[in-house]
Amino acid sequence: MGNKILIVTAVEAEREAVLRGLEGDERFVVMAGGVGPAIIAANTAAALTRAAGSYRLVISAGIGGGFDGQADIGDIVVSTGITAADLGAETPDGERFLSVDELGFGSARVAVDEALAHRLTDALSTAGFRACAGQALTVSTATGSAEQAARLAARVPGAASEGMEGYGVAAAAQLAGIPVLELRAISNRVGPRDKSAWRIGEALGALAQAASVLKEVI
């Protein structure tokens, strides 16, 4: 296993924020892999294949939603686990969601190095940034209602962040046998979509700050 770290964002604005924080640290390779779990999984897998043996860690990084009571706008969430929260099936009556784990079709969860996650969270807090460790949820359709936010929070205890790419990156890393972590800077609350309340610029700034601390910890 190599010494480099691959950081995968969805879009170029997130990539640029991470690069600002890293300040040219050559241990890190940062790529924008696309929006959604499928395209980013494919692009992450391709990058890992091209540079086989080069990476010791893969990080999914970007902005996203924060669950009430767990993460506020401007906070940085470090994953303690990564879950494809809407990968599964409804029961015939529509009242329950069954994950692929319950269906026996594999797993919607990818484990992370929790010791590393807590070490990074502590370092961010020590540096004066608002950070927490919690479950990172991946969805293909961003949550738009309080009811769905509540369902997701009940489905994954400790849910702290919502994004659209983490599980895709994690699945590719897991397939390659490389540890994975997810970082989310919170731009909005998970729930009713109110774009006037989104703070994308603030979240991108927090993402850059997280990257600046990341290079000191890993």
Side-chain angles (χ1 to χ4, degrees), residues 54-55 133 149:
S54 297
Y55 296 110

mmCIF file of all heavy atoms in Angstrom, residues 54-55 133 149:
data_model
loop_
_atom_site.group_PDB
_atom_site.id
_atom_site.type_symbol
_atom_site.label_atom_id
_atom_site.label_comp_id
_atom_site.label_asym_id
_atom_site.label_seq_id
_atom_site.Cartn_x
_atom_site.Cartn_y
_atom_site.Cartn_z
ATOM 1 N N SER A 54 -0.921 2.929 -4.854
ATOM 2 C CA SER A 54 -0.414 4.264 -4.505
ATOM 3 C C SER A 54 -1.047 4.848 -3.247
ATOM 4 O O SER A 54 -0.454 5.712 -2.594
ATOM 5 C CB SER A 54 -0.654 5.239 -5.671
ATOM 6 O OG SER A 54 0.053 4.843 -6.819
ATOM 7 N N TYR A 55 -2.286 4.393 -2.920
ATOM 8 C CA TYR A 55 -3.047 5.063 -1.872
ATOM 9 C C TYR A 55 -3.177 4.227 -0.613
ATOM 10 O O TYR A 55 -3.351 3.010 -0.676
ATOM 11 C CB TYR A 55 -4.446 5.412 -2.388
ATOM 12 C CG TYR A 55 -4.430 6.402 -3.532
ATOM 13 C CD1 TYR A 55 -4.767 6.004 -4.826
ATOM 14 C CD2 TYR A 55 -4.049 7.722 -3.322
ATOM 15 C CE1 TYR A 55 -4.743 6.903 -5.880
ATOM 16 C CE2 TYR A 55 -4.023 8.627 -4.366
ATOM 17 C CZ TYR A 55 -4.362 8.215 -5.646
ATOM 18 O OH TYR A 55 -4.326 9.106 -6.686
ATOM 19 N N ALA A 133 -18.340 14.057 15.323
ATOM 20 C CA ALA A 133 -18.233 12.747 14.680
ATOM 21 C C ALA A 133 -19.617 12.113 14.661
ATOM 22 O O ALA A 133 -20.348 12.179 15.659
ATOM 23 C CB ALA A 133 -17.252 11.858 15.442
ATOM 24 N N ALA A 149 -36.669 13.564 6.751
ATOM 25 C CA ALA A 149 -35.508 13.743 7.633
ATOM 26 C C ALA A 149 -35.672 12.906 8.898
ATOM 27 O O ALA A 149 -34.721 12.259 9.361
ATOM 28 C CB ALA A 149 -35.333 15.218 7.983
#
